[in-house]
Amino acid sequence: MGNSKIVNLLFYWRENNRYLFSRTKFLTLAVFAVSFIFTLNDLSFFFSIIYSLSVSLIVFIAGFAVHKIVDIDAGFYEGNLGDDIRHFLLFWNDGYRKFRLSKTKLLTVSLVIIGLIRGIASYFAGEGSLIALGNILVLVVFAIIAFVIGAVIHQLTGHDHSRYAQKDVDVSKSTKLPKTNENTSPIFVDYLKSADELKREFDESESKARDLINAKFEPPQITNDKFMAVVDNSRRIFDEQYSGLLNLINYSKSDSAKIEGEITSRMDNLKSITDKLNDLSDELVISMSKSKDGDIHNVLNDVETLIDSINDYDE
């Protein structure tokens, strides 16, 4: 994603080995900024900070509670911060990387903007910061009501898949893999064949896992997004390991215990990732006849643990 650590801290949750945009953090920062700006004229700097922190803390606690209890805060986007904010403010997330322009959100954002304009006008007209905040609050309340009504209608009327603004990405092409070298040393030719076979097996396992996830957790579901995020991460780590493996094979001209050990280690990592995806697929197949998904989530955690261990090893 390319975000700095500060941006990640301020706007993202860390989940499933990647950073996901947090609506709670965004709204908390927005509330703090507005409260601070509109109270700074009537309160001292210190008390303005205290007041703004108090109000924004309430927003954060409420959002965090929702995030923990019903797990609907994090947006599963993979763009930069600007794209993530735009998706949050103007689009429905109707499934894995599918975004649809929302008339409800457009109306909601418009009401909030009108409220901000009214508040600014009141502020510069000398009516006081409390009146200015009151003008904003009135429109925010209307915006919340409009959003709730629109969201209910959105859920009740279903989704028109033909209207999706789809951002599907072929993650297998997201990493530029080095080409095999025709001049590869004969010493490593067998390794090259084994590496190609491991990649073929992973591609098949990944495709199967994605199909089963969509069958088990039909989008749009947050669980579908979470499982797909883990598969995405598996693909990313596999491609990184595979790329390093090809470089070792293509550019190593002499046999050595160190080179052979590194090649073997990377091949073991590739096989482990594929095996874990196969375990996940097996549990998904089995779970389709069960009501509980505990075993699936255990395997999901195993995949994440494996990815973390490979990341830690490479670092």
Side-chain angles (χ1 to χ4, degrees):
M1 181 178 297
N3 290 332
S4 68
K5 291 183 179 180
I6 295 177
V7 171
N8 287 334
L9 177 64
L10 291 178
F11 292 98
Y12 292 83
W13 301 118
R14 191 174 194 280
E15 190 172 310
N16 290 338
N17 295 297
R18 65 174 181 170
Y19 288 97
L20 306 171
F21 181 72
S22 169
R23 297 154 182 150
T24 291
K25 289 186 177 182
F26 174 78
L27 291 175
T28 298
L29 290 172
V31 168
F32 175 83
V34 172
S35 300
F36 178 72
I37 291 171
F38 281 94
T39 58
L40 189 58
N41 192 48
D42 291 346
L43 302 175
S44 67
F45 180 86
F46 175 77
F47 283 106
S48 181
I49 288 286
I50 295 299
Y51 173 82
S52 302
L53 284 174
S54 300
V55 174
S56 57
L57 181 61
I58 294 173
V59 174
F60 179 81
I61 291 174
F64 187 76
V66 171
H67 173 68
K68 284 297 185 182
I69 295 172
V70 295
D71 201 12
I72 63 172
D73 173 68
F76 291 84
Y77 311 142
E78 292 186 293
N80 56 38
L81 178 60
D83 287 337
D84 292 340
I85 292 175
R86 180 171 60 88
H87 283 135
F88 167 50
L89 293 178
L90 300 176
F91 289 82
W92 294 121
N93 180 13
D94 282 336
Y96 182 61
R97 290 196 182 100
K98 295 183 176 73
F99 305 102
R100 181 168 58 153
L101 187 65
S102 167
K103 294 185 287 291
T104 294
K105 289 190 174 185
L106 282 171
L107 176 60
T108 301
V109 171
S110 297
L111 288 173
V112 172
I113 291 174
I114 293 172
L116 286 172
I117 293 173
R118 286 189 59 189
I120 292 171
S122 299
Y123 186 78
F124 284 103
E127 295 181 1
S129 59
L130 291 179
I131 294 177
L133 285 173
N135 288 331
I136 296 173
L137 183 61
V138 169
L139 269 295
V140 168
V141 170
F142 279 112
I144 293 173
I145 294 173
F147 177 80
V148 170
I149 294 173
V152 171
I153 293 174
H154 173 72
Q155 291 297 322
L156 293 178
T157 56
H159 314 300
D160 180 4
H161 291 265
S162 65
R163 296 170 57 195
Y164 287 149
Q166 191 164 343
K167 292 193 67 176
D168 286 344
V169 176
D170 185 352
V171 290
S172 66
K173 297 179 181 178
S174 60
T175 302
K176 291 185 178 180
L177 301 176
K179 296 181 180 180
T180 56
N181 191 334
E182 294 179 356
N183 297 319
T184 298
S185 171
I187 301 172
F188 300 106
V189 169
D190 288 340
Y191 285 128
L192 188 59
K193 293 178 181 178
S194 297
D196 288 342
E197 179 64 20
L198 285 170
K199 185 177 186 305
R200 184 190 64 77
E201 291 176 1
F202 177 83
D203 290 343
E204 293 177 355
S205 298
E206 179 196 21
S207 178
K208 180 181 178 182
R210 291 185 187 279
D211 289 342
L212 286 169
I213 290 169
N214 282 327
K216 172 66 177 178
F217 308 106
E218 183 179 354
Q221 288 189 47
I222 296 229
T223 306
N224 180 287
D225 285 332
K226 285 190 171 183
F227 275 70
M228 286 297 189
V230 171
V231 177
D232 278 356
N233 240 352
S234 299
R235 163 58 75 177
R236 179 179 62 82
I237 297 298
F238 185 95
D239 282 351
E240 289 175 359
Q241 292 289 310
Y242 182 72
S243 176
L245 176 59
L246 288 188
N247 285 331
L248 283 168
I249 294 173
N250 287 335
Y251 298 107
S252 298
K253 298 302 179 183
S254 60
D255 193 9
S256 73
K258 185 175 182 180
I259 291 294
E260 189 169 353
E262 187 65 26
I263 289 175
T264 302
S265 175
R266 288 184 181 272
M267 293 184 72
D268 287 343
N269 287 339
L270 297 181
K271 190 174 186 307
S272 295
I273 297 171
T274 303
D275 288 344
K276 288 298 180 183
L277 272 190
N278 287 332
D279 290 344
L280 178 60
S281 293
D282 290 344
E283 289 299 335
L284 284 166
V285 171
I286 293 171
S287 72
M288 287 180 179
S289 62
K290 296 181 178 180
S291 58
K292 295 183 179 180
D293 298 328
D295 291 337
I296 303 178
H297 290 279
N298 289 337
V299 176
L300 197 68
N301 290 333
D302 289 343
V303 178
E304 293 181 23
T305 300
L306 173 63
I307 292 172
D308 277 338
S309 66
I310 294 175
N311 278 330
D312 292 341
Y313 174 79
D314 286 343
E315 290 174 1

